[in-house]
Structures are given as structure tokens and as C-alpha cells.
Amino acid sequence: MVIKATWNADQVERTTPNVVVVDPQFDAYRDLAASARSGRIGLHFRSSGSQAMKLARHLDIDAWLVAAELDDMAGHDFVELLGGLRGDAKVAMIGAGLAASRSAQEAGADMVVSQPITVADLEELLGLPAEERSRRLAAKGFVGSWAALPVSVGAAVVALAVLMIG
């Protein structure tokens, strides 16, 4: 007797949001990397807009964090290029001040965040109410909010980022 199992990705609800950081300075995201390591978010780093566009074709992305300057283009140009590819994903540009806010708004970003970026910033960007986060985490076996961060970030996080770069 042969049992055949099928799996349809559209029928399975993901419990962790996929976040793509498009920024050549990976070391600025240690807190987010710690959350990813604990399984609270799916975190993907890209240093250039072209690499991020390739990833967008293969991954269902919930949020984009885009720096002002990338390896191959300006951040606001990348946000404009995302256009229809982003679907219902939220986009935040990384910066501070009124000029960054205007540039982000003109490019089509949903908000501007300043570093250090925390999971609380992602919660605000994604607009998930606390009840929804708790329900998703309970289904996955987590207790509490996915915004809880470990107290310390070890050298393993830095090594992981270096491996992802190479």
C-alpha cells in the first residue's frame, strides 16, 4: 500500500513573517537576527537591489526594510522598482528626519524607521494586532509575543551574518 501526501502552500498559514533587509550594513541588525534565530521571524539579508529582486521572485515576503543607499542603487529607487512585485507586503525605509520621510513617501514606502530597528517596529509596520500574533504563535508552540527578544546577542549571530554575506 502506498500513501501519497500532498502539500499545498496556499492552504498552509505561515506563522512567522518573512522580512527582507536590503542594506549592505548587516551588523546593524543584531536584534532582528536574534529574533530570527529563535524562530520568531524569517529574516533575509541582501546588500543590493538586484539580489533582493531575485529573492522576491522566490519568497512570499511580508515586510521590506530598505536602506537609503544600497550596493547598486539608491534605496528610494529600489522601493519604486518593487511596485507590483511587493503585493501586500509592507515597505519601510531606514532613515531619520523629515528629508528621509519625504523621500520614503515619494518612493511609495509605508513608513520610515530609524536604527536600531526592533521587532516592535516590525509589529507596527505589519499592523498585526496582539491577539493575531498570540494566535499565530500558539499554533506554532510559542508562548508570548513574537516581539520578545533575547537579552544578549552572541558572536554566533555575527558569524551567521558573515556566512550569509559570503
Side-chain angles (χ1 to χ4, degrees), residues 21-34 43-47 67 94 115-117 153-165:
V21 175
V22 189
D23 189 347
Q25 299 175 357
F26 297 144
D27 60 336
Y29 302 93
R30 291 182 178 159
D31 289 344
L32 291 180
L43 190 61
H44 309 273
F45 290 96
R46 297 297 183 267
S47 62
I94 302 162
Q115 292 188 6
I117 298 168
V153 178
V157 174
V158 175
L160 177 65
V162 169
L163 287 174
M164 292 173 74
I165 293 170

PDB file of all heavy atoms in Angstrom, residues 21-34 43-47 67 94 115-117 153-165:
ATOM      1  N   VAL A  21      15.787  42.442   4.680  1.00  0.00           N
ATOM      2  CA  VAL A  21      16.570  43.656   4.938  1.00  0.00           C
ATOM      3  C   VAL A  21      17.458  43.870   3.730  1.00  0.00           C
ATOM      4  O   VAL A  21      18.269  43.014   3.393  1.00  0.00           O
ATOM      5  CB  VAL A  21      17.429  43.502   6.216  1.00  0.00           C
ATOM      6  CG1 VAL A  21      18.321  44.717   6.402  1.00  0.00           C
ATOM      7  CG2 VAL A  21      16.550  43.275   7.427  1.00  0.00           C
ATOM      8  N   VAL A  22      17.284  45.008   3.067  1.00  0.00           N
ATOM      9  CA  VAL A  22      18.104  45.346   1.908  1.00  0.00           C
ATOM     10  C   VAL A  22      19.014  46.485   2.346  1.00  0.00           C
ATOM     11  O   VAL A  22      18.643  47.652   2.335  1.00  0.00           O
ATOM     12  CB  VAL A  22      17.246  45.757   0.688  1.00  0.00           C
ATOM     13  CG1 VAL A  22      18.115  45.883  -0.549  1.00  0.00           C
ATOM     14  CG2 VAL A  22      16.124  44.760   0.455  1.00  0.00           C
ATOM     15  N   ASP A  23      20.207  46.097   2.791  1.00  0.00           N
ATOM     16  CA  ASP A  23      21.161  47.052   3.362  1.00  0.00           C
ATOM     17  C   ASP A  23      22.532  46.392   3.378  1.00  0.00           C
ATOM     18  O   ASP A  23      22.663  45.270   3.838  1.00  0.00           O
ATOM     19  CB  ASP A  23      20.740  47.411   4.784  1.00  0.00           C
ATOM     20  CG  ASP A  23      21.541  48.556   5.391  1.00  0.00           C
ATOM     21  OD1 ASP A  23      22.592  48.940   4.832  1.00  0.00           O
ATOM     22  OD2 ASP A  23      21.107  49.060   6.440  1.00  0.00           O
ATOM     23  N   PRO A  24      23.563  47.082   2.877  1.00  0.00           N
ATOM     24  CA  PRO A  24      24.907  46.491   2.900  1.00  0.00           C
ATOM     25  C   PRO A  24      25.500  46.384   4.306  1.00  0.00           C
ATOM     26  O   PRO A  24      26.485  45.680   4.504  1.00  0.00           O
ATOM     27  CB  PRO A  24      25.745  47.424   2.035  1.00  0.00           C
ATOM     28  CG  PRO A  24      24.837  48.433   1.467  1.00  0.00           C
ATOM     29  CD  PRO A  24      23.512  48.311   2.119  1.00  0.00           C
ATOM     30  N   GLN A  25      24.928  47.046   5.291  1.00  0.00           N
ATOM     31  CA  GLN A  25      25.469  47.039   6.652  1.00  0.00           C
ATOM     32  C   GLN A  25      24.689  46.052   7.519  1.00  0.00           C
ATOM     33  O   GLN A  25      23.835  46.429   8.314  1.00  0.00           O
ATOM     34  CB  GLN A  25      25.419  48.447   7.238  1.00  0.00           C
ATOM     35  CG  GLN A  25      26.230  49.427   6.446  1.00  0.00           C
ATOM     36  CD  GLN A  25      26.080  50.844   6.968  1.00  0.00           C
ATOM     37  OE1 GLN A  25      25.325  51.122   7.886  1.00  0.00           O
ATOM     38  NE2 GLN A  25      26.822  51.765   6.367  1.00  0.00           N
ATOM     39  N   PHE A  26      25.009  44.768   7.385  1.00  0.00           N
ATOM     40  CA  PHE A  26      24.282  43.715   8.093  1.00  0.00           C
ATOM     41  C   PHE A  26      24.448  43.787   9.608  1.00  0.00           C
ATOM     42  O   PHE A  26      23.552  43.376  10.339  1.00  0.00           O
ATOM     43  CB  PHE A  26      24.742  42.334   7.628  1.00  0.00           C
ATOM     44  CG  PHE A  26      24.462  42.049   6.179  1.00  0.00           C
ATOM     45  CD1 PHE A  26      25.355  41.305   5.439  1.00  0.00           C
ATOM     46  CD2 PHE A  26      23.329  42.507   5.558  1.00  0.00           C
ATOM     47  CE1 PHE A  26      25.107  41.021   4.110  1.00  0.00           C
ATOM     48  CE2 PHE A  26      23.064  42.240   4.232  1.00  0.00           C
ATOM     49  CZ  PHE A  26      23.960  41.493   3.508  1.00  0.00           C
ATOM     50  N   ASP A  27      25.565  44.276  10.085  1.00  0.00           N
ATOM     51  CA  ASP A  27      25.825  44.262  11.524  1.00  0.00           C
ATOM     52  C   ASP A  27      24.894  45.174  12.310  1.00  0.00           C
ATOM     53  O   ASP A  27      24.812  45.079  13.529  1.00  0.00           O
ATOM     54  CB  ASP A  27      27.283  44.602  11.814  1.00  0.00           C
ATOM     55  CG  ASP A  27      27.692  45.976  11.305  1.00  0.00           C
ATOM     56  OD1 ASP A  27      27.047  46.482  10.367  1.00  0.00           O
ATOM     57  OD2 ASP A  27      28.670  46.537  11.842  1.00  0.00           O
ATOM     58  N   ALA A  28      24.142  46.024  11.665  1.00  0.00           N
ATOM     59  CA  ALA A  28      23.221  46.918  12.352  1.00  0.00           C
ATOM     60  C   ALA A  28      21.920  46.224  12.760  1.00  0.00           C
ATOM     61  O   ALA A  28      21.064  46.842  13.382  1.00  0.00           O
ATOM     62  CB  ALA A  28      22.907  48.119  11.459  1.00  0.00           C
ATOM     63  N   TYR A  29      21.775  44.936  12.432  1.00  0.00           N
ATOM     64  CA  TYR A  29      20.515  44.237  12.653  1.00  0.00           C
ATOM     65  C   TYR A  29      20.673  43.051  13.596  1.00  0.00           C
ATOM     66  O   TYR A  29      20.035  42.014  13.415  1.00  0.00           O
ATOM     67  CB  TYR A  29      19.950  43.776  11.303  1.00  0.00           C
ATOM     68  CG  TYR A  29      19.736  44.931  10.374  1.00  0.00           C
ATOM     69  CD1 TYR A  29      20.731  45.303   9.472  1.00  0.00           C
ATOM     70  CD2 TYR A  29      18.580  45.701  10.436  1.00  0.00           C
ATOM     71  CE1 TYR A  29      20.560  46.395   8.636  1.00  0.00           C
ATOM     72  CE2 TYR A  29      18.408  46.781   9.616  1.00  0.00           C
ATOM     73  CZ  TYR A  29      19.400  47.136   8.712  1.00  0.00           C
ATOM     74  OH  TYR A  29      19.241  48.217   7.900  1.00  0.00           O
ATOM     75  N   ARG A  30      21.471  43.195  14.618  1.00  0.00           N
ATOM     76  CA  ARG A  30      21.733  42.088  15.545  1.00  0.00           C
ATOM     77  C   ARG A  30      20.482  41.661  16.303  1.00  0.00           C
ATOM     78  O   ARG A  30      20.250  40.470  16.497  1.00  0.00           O
ATOM     79  CB  ARG A  30      22.845  42.470  16.508  1.00  0.00           C
ATOM     80  CG  ARG A  30      24.174  42.567  15.809  1.00  0.00           C
ATOM     81  CD  ARG A  30      25.274  42.888  16.772  1.00  0.00           C
ATOM     82  NE  ARG A  30      26.532  42.925  16.040  1.00  0.00           N
ATOM     83  CZ  ARG A  30      27.598  43.536  16.471  1.00  0.00           C
ATOM     84  NH1 ARG A  30      27.587  44.144  17.633  1.00  0.00           N
ATOM     85  NH2 ARG A  30      28.703  43.521  15.751  1.00  0.00           N
ATOM     86  N   ASP A  31      19.674  42.624  16.741  1.00  0.00           N
ATOM     87  CA  ASP A  31      18.459  42.275  17.482  1.00  0.00           C
ATOM     88  C   ASP A  31      17.488  41.488  16.608  1.00  0.00           C
ATOM     89  O   ASP A  31      16.877  40.527  17.053  1.00  0.00           O
ATOM     90  CB  ASP A  31      17.768  43.522  18.029  1.00  0.00           C
ATOM     91  CG  ASP A  31      18.542  44.159  19.173  1.00  0.00           C
ATOM     92  OD1 ASP A  31      19.429  43.489  19.741  1.00  0.00           O
ATOM     93  OD2 ASP A  31      18.260  45.331  19.498  1.00  0.00           O
ATOM     94  N   LEU A  32      17.349  41.908  15.359  1.00  0.00           N
ATOM     95  CA  LEU A  32      16.466  41.186  14.450  1.00  0.00           C
ATOM     96  C   LEU A  32      17.021  39.785  14.156  1.00  0.00           C
ATOM     97  O   LEU A  32      16.266  38.824  14.043  1.00  0.00           O
ATOM     98  CB  LEU A  32      16.274  41.957  13.149  1.00  0.00           C
ATOM     99  CG  LEU A  32      15.472  43.253  13.255  1.00  0.00           C
ATOM    100  CD1 LEU A  32      15.361  43.916  11.896  1.00  0.00           C
ATOM    101  CD2 LEU A  32      14.105  43.004  13.849  1.00  0.00           C
ATOM    102  N   ALA A  33      18.329  39.678  14.037  1.00  0.00           N
ATOM    103  CA  ALA A  33      18.948  38.369  13.798  1.00  0.00           C
ATOM    104  C   ALA A  33      18.696  37.437  14.979  1.00  0.00           C
ATOM    105  O   ALA A  33      18.481  36.236  14.796  1.00  0.00           O
ATOM    106  CB  ALA A  33      20.438  38.523  13.532  1.00  0.00           C
ATOM    107  N   ALA A  34      18.699  37.977  16.183  1.00  0.00           N
ATOM    108  CA  ALA A  34      18.413  37.159  17.366  1.00  0.00           C
ATOM    109  C   ALA A  34      16.975  36.655  17.335  1.00  0.00           C
ATOM    110  O   ALA A  34      16.700  35.512  17.687  1.00  0.00           O
ATOM    111  CB  ALA A  34      18.674  37.962  18.634  1.00  0.00           C
ATOM    112  N   LEU A  43      14.200  36.029   8.541  1.00  0.00           N
ATOM    113  CA  LEU A  43      14.980  37.220   8.203  1.00  0.00           C
ATOM    114  C   LEU A  43      15.944  36.892   7.079  1.00  0.00           C
ATOM    115  O   LEU A  43      16.677  35.905   7.136  1.00  0.00           O
ATOM    116  CB  LEU A  43      15.748  37.700   9.440  1.00  0.00           C
ATOM    117  CG  LEU A  43      16.437  39.039   9.367  1.00  0.00           C
ATOM    118  CD1 LEU A  43      15.435  40.162   9.118  1.00  0.00           C
ATOM    119  CD2 LEU A  43      17.182  39.319  10.662  1.00  0.00           C
ATOM    120  N   HIS A  44      15.941  37.728   6.052  1.00  0.00           N
ATOM    121  CA  HIS A  44      16.782  37.537   4.880  1.00  0.00           C
ATOM    122  C   HIS A  44      17.530  38.834   4.607  1.00  0.00           C
ATOM    123  O   HIS A  44      16.919  39.896   4.564  1.00  0.00           O
ATOM    124  CB  HIS A  44      15.932  37.161   3.665  1.00  0.00           C
ATOM    125  CG  HIS A  44      15.005  36.025   3.942  1.00  0.00           C
ATOM    126  ND1 HIS A  44      15.393  34.712   3.795  1.00  0.00           N
ATOM    127  CD2 HIS A  44      13.728  36.000   4.401  1.00  0.00           C
ATOM    128  CE1 HIS A  44      14.376  33.934   4.127  1.00  0.00           C
ATOM    129  NE2 HIS A  44      13.359  34.688   4.499  1.00  0.00           N
ATOM    130  N   PHE A  45      18.838  38.742   4.419  1.00  0.00           N
ATOM    131  CA  PHE A  45      19.676  39.908   4.165  1.00  0.00           C
ATOM    132  C   PHE A  45      20.104  39.936   2.703  1.00  0.00           C
ATOM    133  O   PHE A  45      20.541  38.919   2.167  1.00  0.00           O
ATOM    134  CB  PHE A  45      20.936  39.883   5.037  1.00  0.00           C
ATOM    135  CG  PHE A  45      20.665  40.111   6.492  1.00  0.00           C
ATOM    136  CD1 PHE A  45      20.518  39.047   7.360  1.00  0.00           C
ATOM    137  CD2 PHE A  45      20.557  41.392   6.991  1.00  0.00           C
ATOM    138  CE1 PHE A  45      20.276  39.252   8.699  1.00  0.00           C
ATOM    139  CE2 PHE A  45      20.315  41.605   8.336  1.00  0.00           C
ATOM    140  CZ  PHE A  45      20.170  40.537   9.198  1.00  0.00           C
ATOM    141  N   ARG A  46      20.028  41.096   2.101  1.00  0.00           N
ATOM    142  CA  ARG A  46      20.564  41.338   0.763  1.00  0.00           C
ATOM    143  C   ARG A  46      21.223  42.706   0.782  1.00  0.00           C
ATOM    144  O   ARG A  46      20.716  43.639   1.389  1.00  0.00           O
ATOM    145  CB  ARG A  46      19.466  41.301  -0.312  1.00  0.00           C
ATOM    146  CG  ARG A  46      18.768  39.960  -0.463  1.00  0.00           C
ATOM    147  CD  ARG A  46      19.747  38.885  -0.908  1.00  0.00           C
ATOM    148  NE  ARG A  46      19.139  37.592  -1.137  1.00  0.00           N
ATOM    149  CZ  ARG A  46      19.058  36.631  -0.227  1.00  0.00           C
ATOM    150  NH1 ARG A  46      19.520  36.804   0.991  1.00  0.00           N
ATOM    151  NH2 ARG A  46      18.515  35.467  -0.536  1.00  0.00           N
ATOM    152  N   SER A  47      22.362  42.831   0.082  1.00  0.00           N
ATOM    153  CA  SER A  47      23.079  44.100   0.086  1.00  0.00           C
ATOM    154  C   SER A  47      22.765  44.956  -1.132  1.00  0.00           C
ATOM    155  O   SER A  47      23.054  46.137  -1.139  1.00  0.00           O
ATOM    156  CB  SER A  47      24.588  43.861   0.172  1.00  0.00           C
ATOM    157  OG  SER A  47      25.022  43.137  -0.962  1.00  0.00           O
ATOM    158  N   ALA A  67      17.459  50.304   3.113  1.00  0.00           N
ATOM    159  CA  ALA A  67      18.377  51.393   3.478  1.00  0.00           C
ATOM    160  C   ALA A  67      18.353  52.471   2.402  1.00  0.00           C
ATOM    161  O   ALA A  67      17.939  52.235   1.262  1.00  0.00           O
ATOM    162  CB  ALA A  67      19.794  50.844   3.645  1.00  0.00           C
ATOM    163  N   ILE A  94      14.778  52.964   5.854  1.00  0.00           N
ATOM    164  CA  ILE A  94      15.561  53.195   7.052  1.00  0.00           C
ATOM    165  C   ILE A  94      16.191  54.575   6.945  1.00  0.00           C
ATOM    166  O   ILE A  94      16.903  54.868   5.982  1.00  0.00           O
ATOM    167  CB  ILE A  94      16.641  52.115   7.205  1.00  0.00           C
ATOM    168  CG1 ILE A  94      15.970  50.748   7.256  1.00  0.00           C
ATOM    169  CG2 ILE A  94      17.494  52.364   8.441  1.00  0.00           C
ATOM    170  CD1 ILE A  94      16.887  49.600   6.969  1.00  0.00           C
ATOM    171  N   GLN A 115      17.350  53.377  13.025  1.00  0.00           N
ATOM    172  CA  GLN A 115      18.106  52.335  13.709  1.00  0.00           C
ATOM    173  C   GLN A 115      18.352  52.718  15.145  1.00  0.00           C
ATOM    174  O   GLN A 115      18.475  53.898  15.436  1.00  0.00           O
ATOM    175  CB  GLN A 115      19.422  52.095  12.982  1.00  0.00           C
ATOM    176  CG  GLN A 115      19.179  51.478  11.641  1.00  0.00           C
ATOM    177  CD  GLN A 115      20.455  51.035  10.960  1.00  0.00           C
ATOM    178  OE1 GLN A 115      21.527  51.089  11.511  1.00  0.00           O
ATOM    179  NE2 GLN A 115      20.326  50.584   9.736  1.00  0.00           N
ATOM    180  N   PRO A 116      18.400  51.786  16.046  1.00  0.00           N
ATOM    181  CA  PRO A 116      18.300  50.341  15.852  1.00  0.00           C
ATOM    182  C   PRO A 116      16.844  49.934  15.640  1.00  0.00           C
ATOM    183  O   PRO A 116      15.938  50.422  16.307  1.00  0.00           O
ATOM    184  CB  PRO A 116      18.859  49.756  17.146  1.00  0.00           C
ATOM    185  CG  PRO A 116      18.567  50.789  18.180  1.00  0.00           C
ATOM    186  CD  PRO A 116      18.664  52.116  17.458  1.00  0.00           C
ATOM    187  N   ILE A 117      16.635  49.047  14.711  1.00  0.00           N
ATOM    188  CA  ILE A 117      15.294  48.582  14.376  1.00  0.00           C
ATOM    189  C   ILE A 117      14.980  47.376  15.250  1.00  0.00           C
ATOM    190  O   ILE A 117      15.767  46.441  15.356  1.00  0.00           O
ATOM    191  CB  ILE A 117      15.210  48.218  12.889  1.00  0.00           C
ATOM    192  CG1 ILE A 117      15.485  49.472  12.055  1.00  0.00           C
ATOM    193  CG2 ILE A 117      13.852  47.631  12.549  1.00  0.00           C
ATOM    194  CD1 ILE A 117      15.700  49.203  10.605  1.00  0.00           C
ATOM    195  N   VAL A 153      23.057  39.022  22.441  1.00  0.00           N
ATOM    196  CA  VAL A 153      23.282  38.522  21.089  1.00  0.00           C
ATOM    197  C   VAL A 153      24.730  38.070  21.035  1.00  0.00           C
ATOM    198  O   VAL A 153      25.647  38.847  21.232  1.00  0.00           O
ATOM    199  CB  VAL A 153      23.021  39.632  20.047  1.00  0.00           C
ATOM    200  CG1 VAL A 153      23.300  39.130  18.655  1.00  0.00           C
ATOM    201  CG2 VAL A 153      21.601  40.124  20.170  1.00  0.00           C
ATOM    202  N   GLY A 154      24.930  36.787  20.758  1.00  0.00           N
ATOM    203  CA  GLY A 154      26.266  36.214  20.787  1.00  0.00           C
ATOM    204  C   GLY A 154      27.036  36.384  19.495  1.00  0.00           C
ATOM    205  O   GLY A 154      26.535  36.907  18.502  1.00  0.00           O
ATOM    206  N   ALA A 155      28.234  35.940  19.518  1.00  0.00           N
ATOM    207  CA  ALA A 155      29.108  36.004  18.348  1.00  0.00           C
ATOM    208  C   ALA A 155      28.584  35.122  17.220  1.00  0.00           C
ATOM    209  O   ALA A 155      28.901  35.358  16.056  1.00  0.00           O
ATOM    210  CB  ALA A 155      30.519  35.581  18.729  1.00  0.00           C
ATOM    211  N   ALA A 156      27.758  34.153  17.548  1.00  0.00           N
ATOM    212  CA  ALA A 156      27.190  33.281  16.509  1.00  0.00           C
ATOM    213  C   ALA A 156      26.326  34.068  15.537  1.00  0.00           C
ATOM    214  O   ALA A 156      26.298  33.763  14.340  1.00  0.00           O
ATOM    215  CB  ALA A 156      26.378  32.170  17.156  1.00  0.00           C
ATOM    216  N   VAL A 157      25.645  35.089  16.008  1.00  0.00           N
ATOM    217  CA  VAL A 157      24.819  35.917  15.132  1.00  0.00           C
ATOM    218  C   VAL A 157      25.698  36.652  14.129  1.00  0.00           C
ATOM    219  O   VAL A 157      25.388  36.724  12.939  1.00  0.00           O
ATOM    220  CB  VAL A 157      23.967  36.902  15.951  1.00  0.00           C
ATOM    221  CG1 VAL A 157      23.224  37.856  15.049  1.00  0.00           C
ATOM    222  CG2 VAL A 157      23.008  36.142  16.846  1.00  0.00           C
ATOM    223  N   VAL A 158      26.797  37.181  14.588  1.00  0.00           N
ATOM    224  CA  VAL A 158      27.714  37.887  13.700  1.00  0.00           C
ATOM    225  C   VAL A 158      28.305  36.901  12.689  1.00  0.00           C
ATOM    226  O   VAL A 158      28.403  37.202  11.488  1.00  0.00           O
ATOM    227  CB  VAL A 158      28.820  38.594  14.513  1.00  0.00           C
ATOM    228  CG1 VAL A 158      29.850  39.229  13.584  1.00  0.00           C
ATOM    229  CG2 VAL A 158      28.214  39.637  15.423  1.00  0.00           C
ATOM    230  N   ALA A 159      28.671  35.714  13.157  1.00  0.00           N
ATOM    231  CA  ALA A 159      29.223  34.703  12.246  1.00  0.00           C
ATOM    232  C   ALA A 159      28.194  34.297  11.205  1.00  0.00           C
ATOM    233  O   ALA A 159      28.530  34.120  10.037  1.00  0.00           O
ATOM    234  CB  ALA A 159      29.681  33.483  13.048  1.00  0.00           C
ATOM    235  N   LEU A 160      26.937  34.182  11.612  1.00  0.00           N
ATOM    236  CA  LEU A 160      25.872  33.852  10.674  1.00  0.00           C
ATOM    237  C   LEU A 160      25.733  34.928   9.610  1.00  0.00           C
ATOM    238  O   LEU A 160      25.604  34.628   8.420  1.00  0.00           O
ATOM    239  CB  LEU A 160      24.547  33.670  11.427  1.00  0.00           C
ATOM    240  CG  LEU A 160      23.312  33.382  10.590  1.00  0.00           C
ATOM    241  CD1 LEU A 160      23.485  32.021   9.909  1.00  0.00           C
ATOM    242  CD2 LEU A 160      22.092  33.393  11.442  1.00  0.00           C
ATOM    243  N   ALA A 161      25.788  36.185  10.013  1.00  0.00           N
ATOM    244  CA  ALA A 161      25.685  37.285   9.045  1.00  0.00           C
ATOM    245  C   ALA A 161      26.860  37.268   8.080  1.00  0.00           C
ATOM    246  O   ALA A 161      26.698  37.485   6.877  1.00  0.00           O
ATOM    247  CB  ALA A 161      25.614  38.625   9.776  1.00  0.00           C
ATOM    248  N   VAL A 162      28.048  36.967   8.577  1.00  0.00           N
ATOM    249  CA  VAL A 162      29.229  36.893   7.717  1.00  0.00           C
ATOM    250  C   VAL A 162      29.087  35.756   6.708  1.00  0.00           C
ATOM    251  O   VAL A 162      29.410  35.895   5.539  1.00  0.00           O
ATOM    252  CB  VAL A 162      30.517  36.735   8.556  1.00  0.00           C
ATOM    253  CG1 VAL A 162      31.708  36.395   7.689  1.00  0.00           C
ATOM    254  CG2 VAL A 162      30.773  38.008   9.347  1.00  0.00           C
ATOM    255  N   LEU A 163      28.561  34.620   7.177  1.00  0.00           N
ATOM    256  CA  LEU A 163      28.333  33.497   6.271  1.00  0.00           C
ATOM    257  C   LEU A 163      27.297  33.825   5.208  1.00  0.00           C
ATOM    258  O   LEU A 163      27.424  33.409   4.054  1.00  0.00           O
ATOM    259  CB  LEU A 163      27.898  32.267   7.050  1.00  0.00           C
ATOM    260  CG  LEU A 163      28.979  31.570   7.870  1.00  0.00           C
ATOM    261  CD1 LEU A 163      28.374  30.463   8.709  1.00  0.00           C
ATOM    262  CD2 LEU A 163      30.058  31.016   6.945  1.00  0.00           C
ATOM    263  N   MET A 164      26.272  34.593   5.595  1.00  0.00           N
ATOM    264  CA  MET A 164      25.246  34.964   4.629  1.00  0.00           C
ATOM    265  C   MET A 164      25.780  35.930   3.585  1.00  0.00           C
ATOM    266  O   MET A 164      25.319  35.918   2.442  1.00  0.00           O
ATOM    267  CB  MET A 164      24.047  35.583   5.362  1.00  0.00           C
ATOM    268  CG  MET A 164      23.317  34.569   6.211  1.00  0.00           C
ATOM    269  SD  MET A 164      22.036  35.335   7.207  1.00  0.00           S
ATOM    270  CE  MET A 164      20.807  35.648   5.962  1.00  0.00           C
ATOM    271  N   ILE A 165      26.736  36.753   3.958  1.00  0.00           N
ATOM    272  CA  ILE A 165      27.330  37.699   3.027  1.00  0.00           C
ATOM    273  C   ILE A 165      28.134  36.956   1.961  1.00  0.00           C
ATOM    274  O   ILE A 165      28.058  37.258   0.783  1.00  0.00           O
ATOM    275  CB  ILE A 165      28.241  38.699   3.747  1.00  0.00           C
ATOM    276  CG1 ILE A 165      27.408  39.611   4.648  1.00  0.00           C
ATOM    277  CG2 ILE A 165      29.027  39.546   2.740  1.00  0.00           C
ATOM    278  CD1 ILE A 165      28.237  40.462   5.554  1.00  0.00           C
TER     279      ILE A 165
END
